[in-house]
Amino acid sequence: MAFISSGYDPKEPMKDRITDIGPRNYEEFYPPIIAKNKGKWAYHEILEPGVLVHVSETGDELYTVRVGGCRLMSVTHIREICEIADKYCDGYLRFTTRNNIEFMVDSKEKAEALKKDLESRKFPGGSFKFPIGGTGAGITNIIHTQGWIHCHTPATDASGPVKATLDVLFEHFQNMDLPAQVRVSLACCLNMCGAVHCSDIAILGYHRKPPMVEHEYIDKMCEIPLAIAACPTAAIKPKKVALEDGTEVKSVEVNHSRCMYCGNCYTMCPSMPLADKEGDGIVIMVGGKVSNRISAPKFSKVAVAYLPNNPPRWPEVTSTIKKIVDTYSKDARKYERLGEWAERIGWEKFFEKCGLEFTHHLIDDFRDPAYYTWRQTTQFKFTD
Amino acid sequence: MAKHQTPLLDQLESGPWPSFVSDLKQEAEARAKNERNIEYQIPQDVVEDLMGVLELSYKDGTTHWKHGGIVGVFGYGGGVIGRYCDQPEQFPGVAHFHTMRVNQPAGKFYTTKYLKELCDLWEFRGSGLTNMHGSTGDIIFLGTTTPQLEEIFYELTHKHNQDLGGSGSNLRTPSDCIGQARCEYACYDTQALCHYLTNEYQDELHRPAFPYKFKFKFDGCPNCCVASIARADLSFVGTWRDEIQIDQEAVKAYVAGEFPPNAGAHAGRDWGPFDIQKEVIDRCPTGCMRYEDGKLEINNRECTRCMHCINVMPRALKPGKDRGCSILAGAKAPILDGAQMGSLLVPFIKVEEPYDEIKEVIEAIWDWWMEEGKNRERLGELMKRQGFQKLLEVTNIKPVPQHVQEPRTNPYIFWKEEEVPGGFERDIKEFRKHHQR
Amino acid sequence: MDQETANKLVVEALQKKQKTKSKFYFSDLQDILGMKPREAKKYVNKMVEMGILEFWSSGSTTMYGLKGTGKQAAAEHED
């Protein structure tokens, strides 16, 4: 493997350097029909799950076929997407904010041919490469973070639980049979680099053990003041520690009752690892939304404090989610989002109907806002 | 024969949803075969080692990655995230496995020509694995070695007219919804504003000098498809301030069952015939609509523009014609002091080039936050600490009832001296003339 | 302030603290320079370009340090 230079000269990094040019201009990438009709769209309709038509004031019609995609995607797979877009869509396509892929054509006939082709493509293991769906009152793609494939502080994997969950919820990806859309999101630790805190259902990786401290190495590998400063709850203090051989070294002490297991110290200092097989697992949060439709946007609430990591298919997680979705599906009214349903029936009823255990972990005790979540009325419902 | 046995991962190949494991395997195979005769610049078996390390995590329930903070491209403080494997002897192909964030085009439309160019570059100089796209919106190049970072940046900028995205304490790569490109609800051109501000603030995006991350997101309407209101320090949500446009004939057609409600979004279940009273009028949060004698009436002065009626009857109702956006400030994920939703700062602003008024708001906020923000304090937290009044003061925005859900429930107002006639300094001797000690 | 004076101020101040830590927030540099953030940023950017300072990023937060100093380089195998 011989090194091939791009033309960059490490001795003179500033020579011919181009910076601050930003992204490519979006107008280069509009399909002609989009460029022509931008701002002129009159209405749209979902013809069937995953297939939309947009009709313009100019009379033009645009057919979109939406397919689920894995956020983790190889260039081989992207090239296959390109091959399809070259064949049917004049070389244009787009991605949605939820990692779906959209192929756009200008007639129903082309959309039919495209659909047939997409449905026929499968991986050797049997899964669809391009499942059509993800529209309307159903479940669309789960947005997620990196997990064990790339992150240094995850409490769970991302791609794996997402695959397992979407296999279980697949019928709702291809059928618009729920009272409203259910947005499912996954973040692999509480730092939430994927903001899942306003999702109908959030799958959140969570550590439950404070970091270990490697006294022998910490002062050699880390700058202790930085590790201390990294802690958002001020749980880390400097401490002199005597090693087994009697040498005294500079180290730190973690106040376990203050630690919220965020891993920020580990980011600064590799001598403070916190991942742990028994400690780590998943929190299920429910009832959030970002849309302003009918009711204001809402945060998701913790419905299950802990489920174990059980790779490769996380059965405890998927069955809990399935139970919640099934109960919601049966009980909610048309247009009612999961959180709106839970609020209408009352959270005590939510736990009863979903068959979820209520434990002390679910009562907020984190800082000021906690008080406002306790029940301050005599109005409540009795449950069995 | 695969380099590492992956019995756990293999179980994720079945089931209907696209299997990322199958995709990893096909990429590993493609690299092993190397039919294009590529002079791979990082180990050819990188994907196999990546599967190996992931299988190990599936076995022992913990991650095997370490963070790296030094690597980057010269002069930029963001766009690259350093990663090292904590089992480099076992998995040498991924010993160094850094991420690059590539600034996606607004709207995420692509030509295949361009995507193929990126694929060629990334297969040659990286793992060939991507995220399309990351949570913030960037195209993510997942996994390369340190020496390749500058080479990739050089090729991106010189051959592909393409820059990196943001990370760290800087402006993060802005992102937007599909907007007017293909949505009849969009009240302003999200792509135009997103692209313009991304370019306008390149220095803020690449050279971190903020207390912490800062995000812009652009939603064309209150449906908020990019979740700006939940996660952007400044979210720009399209809205209007005149009357919802009504096509009465189309309303009748909905009532007659000729058009599917909600554009067909509920077609998968039999919800019975469309009932405009139950599904629209009664669900309107302000009760500002009525349907009588075949005519829909909306009291627009009472409307809060929640989009429900428009979503249910897109062929009959449209946002008004006097369009712009609302700006909300301070949204963030829960770490540390709890999640915060964006708070309404500018109820309505026109979105027109050259966007001077919008830039004034942005820059006033940055000046305040850069000056007053503590290290790692998001804008929302500074707003909480110093008060919404302070935000209004620095942006020179007049307080209006729209800014609050309700007025305060305590009377503990910190009056400013100049607001109280005569000021705070008083003559105690004068006071004593009328009040005994 | 000319660039050279700024360089000197920053280098001296950071060297003094080397014993305890090598990475600093932007606000620390701004305090050393005694300037408003936007003003300080111009000088700091220049110092990065001149190879005096380098970035260290946690992914979510960015810090600055004198180039090549600190324990991170060895811990991250980038020395």
Side-chain angles (χ1 to χ4, degrees):
Chain A
M1 157 171 106
F3 183 85
I4 298 173
S5 168
S6 60
Y8 170 75
D9 180 358
K11 286 191 199 105
E12 281 185 89
M14 293 310 286
K15 196 180 150 213
D16 300 330
R17 195 168 189 82
I18 298 175
T19 65
D20 300 85
I21 55 173
R24 288 284 284 264
N25 192 316
Y26 56 96
E27 285 179 330
E28 297 173 50
F29 299 140
Y30 280 158
I33 185 170
I34 294 279
K36 181 181 162 201
N37 293 290
K38 182 174 175 180
K40 295 182 194 147
W41 297 106
Y43 66 90
H44 77 285
E45 195 178 317
I46 307 167
L47 299 174
E48 58 186 271
V51 183
L52 302 112
V53 61
H54 286 81
V55 181
S56 167
E57 287 161 6
T58 66
D60 285 352
E61 292 183 352
L62 176 70
Y63 292 82
T64 301
V65 181
R66 179 181 295 172
V67 303
C70 291
R71 162 182 149 140
L72 176 61
M73 194 176 273
S74 73
V75 294
T76 302
H77 194 67
I78 297 173
R79 287 192 181 114
E80 187 169 344
I81 294 167
C82 289
E83 173 214 315
I84 296 167
D86 282 337
K87 190 167 168 196
Y88 297 95
C89 316
D90 302 318
Y92 295 92
L93 69 138
R94 79 174 286 267
F95 288 81
T96 72
T97 24
R98 300 190 73 89
N99 306 112
N100 293 313
I101 306 141
E102 292 187 336
F103 297 99
M104 292 156 285
V105 293
D106 58 11
S107 79
K108 222 173 180 166
E109 293 70 43
K110 286 186 194 167
E112 281 306 316
L114 169 61
K115 266 175 51 194
K116 219 178 247 169
D117 188 344
L118 291 167
E119 280 163 352
S120 73
R121 294 175 191 248
K122 288 191 169 184
F123 282 112
S127 67
F128 286 106
K129 282 181 173 171
F130 305 107
I132 299 168
T135 52
I139 288 177
T140 187
N141 208 340
I142 299 179
I143 50 162
H144 63 90
T145 55
Q146 298 288 17
W148 289 334
I149 198 123
H150 203 63
C151 183
H152 67 294
T153 56
T156 187
D157 187 32
S159 301
V162 163
K163 158 76 175 154
T165 305
L166 278 166
D167 277 345
V168 168
L169 298 177
F170 192 68
E171 55 175 318
H172 301 297
F173 181 80
Q174 294 204 308
N175 284 302
M176 305 181 289
D177 56 356
L178 296 175
Q181 69 266 42
V182 174
R183 297 278 181 261
V184 188
S185 315
L186 179 147
C188 53
C189 82
L190 62 81
N191 290 299
M192 293 196 197
C193 72
V196 302
H197 58 293
C198 292
S199 310
D200 294 278
I201 298 178
I203 307 167
L204 177 68
Y206 208 82
H207 299 286
R208 297 185 303 165
K209 294 188 185 181
M212 298 175 274
V213 183
E214 208 172 7
H215 297 302
E216 191 182 343
Y217 290 96
I218 185 164
D219 191 40
K220 291 179 196 140
M221 293 179 78
C222 316
E223 293 175 17
I224 288 173
L226 296 178
I228 291 170
C231 180
T233 62
I236 306 176
K237 282 202 180 99
K239 193 188 179 187
K240 289 221 160 103
V241 175
L243 298 178
E244 275 176 27
D245 66 3
T247 36
E248 195 172 71
V249 291
K250 280 191 219 159
S251 185
V252 299
E253 180 179 47
V254 180
N255 179 344
H256 288 175
S257 64
R258 289 191 79 139
C259 177
M260 67 190 291
Y261 330 109
C262 70
N264 289 2
C265 53
Y266 180 60
T267 303
M268 296 302 287
C269 176
S271 290
M272 299 183 72
L274 83 163
D276 184 89
K277 188 171 187 167
E278 283 76 38
D280 300 351
I282 281 174
V283 180
I284 303 288
M285 299 176 76
V286 301
K289 73 186 197 74
V290 293
S291 161
N292 291 273
R293 185 177 185 173
I294 302 179
S295 63
K298 302 178 201 300
F299 295 124
S300 314
K301 285 96 184 161
V302 179
V304 181
Y306 173 80
L307 292 170
N309 275 325
N310 195 354
R313 285 207 167 260
W314 280 266
E316 295 85 352
V317 173
T318 58
S319 66
T320 304
I321 292 172
K322 177 118 184 24
K323 204 158 62 173
I324 295 169
V325 170
D326 287 349
T327 313
Y328 160 75
S329 176
K330 253 190 280 169
D331 205 61
R333 296 173 183 166
K334 191 179 180 186
Y335 304 116
E336 206 167 44
R337 293 287 289 266
L338 204 152
E340 292 169 327
W341 163 67
E343 283 174 14
R344 176 172 59 78
I345 62 173
W347 284 97
E348 64 273 42
K349 278 284 178 194
F350 168 85
F351 283 95
E352 182 186 53
K353 288 187 186 222
C354 293
L356 297 171
E357 191 192 357
F358 190 86
T359 65
H360 74 87
H361 309 100
L362 307 182
I363 300 172
D364 197 350
D365 60 355
F366 188 75
R367 305 195 175 182
D368 274 2
Y371 173 82
Y372 302 99
T373 65
W374 305 338
R375 191 173 307 253
Q376 283 137 7
T377 169
T378 55
Q379 297 182 10
F380 62 86
K381 293 179 182 173
F382 291 103
T383 51
D384 297 327
Chain B
M1 188 63 195
K3 185 173 171 190
H4 307 285
Q5 292 301 304
T6 55
L8 292 170
L9 288 179
D10 294 350
Q11 294 176 50
L12 286 171
E13 287 203 273
S14 56
W17 188 255
S19 169
F20 69 98
V21 176
S22 300
D23 191 20
L24 289 174
K25 285 186 177 176
Q26 77 171 359
E27 191 58 31
E29 208 173 301
R31 282 181 85 93
K33 277 192 196 150
N34 192 15
E35 281 173 352
R36 296 157 168 247
N37 285 317
I38 295 157
E39 187 93 31
Y40 293 118
Q41 296 294 293
I42 75 164
Q44 189 165 0
D45 58 1
V46 53
V47 181
E48 284 171 87
D49 276 354
L50 184 67
M51 282 195 291
V53 81
L54 188 60
E55 178 75 14
L56 181 61
S57 283
Y58 272 50
K59 243 183 265 171
D60 66 17
T62 53
T63 191
H64 287 280
W65 298 102
K66 295 190 290 183
H67 178 71
I70 298 168
V71 292
V73 300
F74 188 75
Y76 278 14
V80 176
I81 310 285
R83 278 291 171 273
Y84 305 89
C85 183
D86 74 4
Q87 291 293 350
E89 290 83 17
Q90 219 177 326
F91 308 106
V94 294
H96 291 209
F97 201 67
H98 312 313
T99 302
M100 298 183 87
R101 297 184 178 176
V102 178
N103 197 148
Q104 86 289 357
K108 299 194 179 89
F109 284 92
Y110 292 98
T111 58
T112 53
K113 179 174 174 289
Y114 182 60
L115 279 181
K116 283 186 255 184
E117 283 172 21
L118 289 186
C119 288
D120 291 346
L121 167 64
W122 186 236
E123 165 174 67
F124 170 47
R125 296 196 178 276
S127 69
L129 301 175
T130 75
N131 290 151
M132 297 296 288
H133 300 71
S135 305
T136 301
D138 298 279
I139 300 167
I140 309 281
F141 281 174
L142 203 65
T144 192
T145 57
T146 306
Q148 288 303 314
L149 296 171
E150 287 288 356
E151 305 295 327
I152 291 163
F153 181 67
Y154 192 93
E155 289 204 29
L156 280 175
T157 51
H158 286 75
K159 285 192 194 159
H160 306 291
N161 189 25
Q162 172 69 59
D163 210 329
L164 296 182
S167 65
S169 310
N170 58 16
L171 174 64
R172 298 305 183 82
T173 311
S175 71
D176 60 345
C177 72
I178 189 165
Q180 294 176 338
R182 203 198 59 200
C183 181
E184 66 270 28
Y185 302 151
C187 295
Y188 71 96
D189 188 343
T190 52
Q191 266 110 77
L193 184 58
C194 181
H195 187 72
Y196 177 87
L197 292 177
T198 306
N199 281 302
E200 180 72 11
Y201 297 123
Q202 281 288 297
D203 188 54
E204 283 75 7
L205 200 152
H206 298 303
R207 297 174 195 83
F210 287 152
Y212 204 16
K213 62 180 89 164
F214 197 96
K215 297 183 177 184
F216 290 151
K217 296 203 186 288
F218 307 91
D219 273 311
C221 83
N223 282 330
C224 282
C225 290
V226 290
S228 66
I229 200 167
R231 57 191 185 135
D233 297 271
L234 279 181
S235 59
F236 300 83
V237 183
T239 195
W240 66 95
R241 56 180 172 183
D242 56 346
E243 294 81 44
I244 291 177
Q245 304 178 62
I246 307 178
D247 175 345
Q248 295 290 353
E249 290 311 306
V251 175
K252 279 186 203 149
Y254 276 106
V255 173
E258 289 162 32
F259 300 147
N262 216 108
H266 296 263
R269 193 197 287 196
D270 183 7
W271 291 94
F274 176 63
D275 180 341
I276 192 168
Q277 184 65 38
K278 210 171 106 200
E279 297 187 34
V280 181
I281 312 293
D282 294 348
R283 304 235 49 178
C284 170
T286 62
C288 71
M289 312 177 81
R290 69 179 177 180
Y291 185 72
E292 267 174 27
D293 307 325
K295 200 168 172 244
L296 180 71
E297 275 176 52
I298 302 175
N299 180 356
N300 282 282
R301 298 305 295 169
E302 294 301 313
C303 171
T304 51
R305 303 169 310 285
C306 86
M307 293 297 293
H308 176 64
C309 59
I310 298 176
N311 285 330
V312 175
M313 303 191 291
R315 293 177 76 156
L317 303 178
K318 291 191 189 336
K321 290 178 175 162
D322 185 9
R323 299 174 179 190
C325 77
S326 300
I327 304 179
L328 295 95
K332 55 179 280 293
I335 185 111
L336 168 73
D337 220 1
Q340 285 178 239
M341 207 65 83
S343 298
L344 183 68
L345 173 63
V346 180
F348 185 89
I349 193 167
K350 282 290 200 184
V351 184
E352 284 160 358
E353 279 179 83
Y355 312 114
D356 284 340
E357 276 186 82
I358 289 176
K359 275 159 48 186
E360 266 173 44
V361 174
I362 293 169
E363 287 167 26
I365 288 175
W366 281 350
D367 279 340
W368 174 49
W369 180 54
M370 289 172 79
E371 192 99 356
E372 297 286 329
K374 293 182 184 170
N375 294 326
R376 295 195 302 161
E377 184 174 57
R378 289 283 288 269
L379 175 64
E381 292 161 318
L382 175 62
M383 285 161 57
K384 251 166 90 172
R385 184 161 63 82
Q386 294 203 345
F388 197 80
Q389 281 91 336
K390 189 73 192 171
L391 176 67
L392 293 176
E393 199 181 301
V394 301
T395 49
N396 203 16
I397 292 170
K398 192 175 160 287
V400 289
Q402 282 81 356
H403 283 132
V404 295
Q405 266 178 56
E406 56 185 31
R408 64 197 303 157
T409 54
N410 64 70
Y412 309 140
I413 300 160
F414 291 98
W415 290 95
K416 287 183 183 144
E417 188 167 11
E418 62 270 24
E419 287 181 315
V420 186
F424 291 168
E425 295 306 318
R426 285 176 287 161
D427 185 349
I428 185 73
K429 283 191 181 132
E430 184 59 30
F431 179 85
R432 282 294 162 229
K433 282 182 192 164
H434 310 286
H435 304 268
Q436 295 182 15
R437 231 164 244 121
Chain C
M1 189 184 293
D2 61 18
Q3 185 68 40
E4 232 165 89
T5 318
N7 295 354
K8 209 169 149 239
L9 268 175
V10 169
V11 172
E12 278 177 8
L14 298 199
Q15 272 171 348
K16 257 190 217 158
K17 295 182 183 161
Q18 283 300 306
K19 269 200 178 148
T20 50
K21 62 175 182 176
S22 71
K23 302 287 172 280
F24 301 87
Y25 286 111
F26 178 78
S27 62
D28 300 328
L29 303 182
Q30 179 196 319
D31 289 346
I32 293 167
L33 290 169
M35 293 173 186
K36 293 252 178 197
R38 278 177 194 280
E39 189 65 12
K41 185 176 177 182
K42 289 180 200 154
Y43 291 95
V44 171
N45 278 347
K46 193 79 198 155
M47 284 179 233
V48 171
E49 214 175 281
M50 293 169 82
I52 298 168
L53 294 177
E54 69 181 0
F55 295 109
W56 187 90
S57 174
S58 78
S60 62
T61 321
T62 317
M63 304 183 88
Y64 291 81
L66 291 172
K67 198 176 168 76
T69 60
K71 293 172 188 169
Q72 272 84 4
E76 292 174 17
H77 319 286
E78 292 291 339
D79 50 346

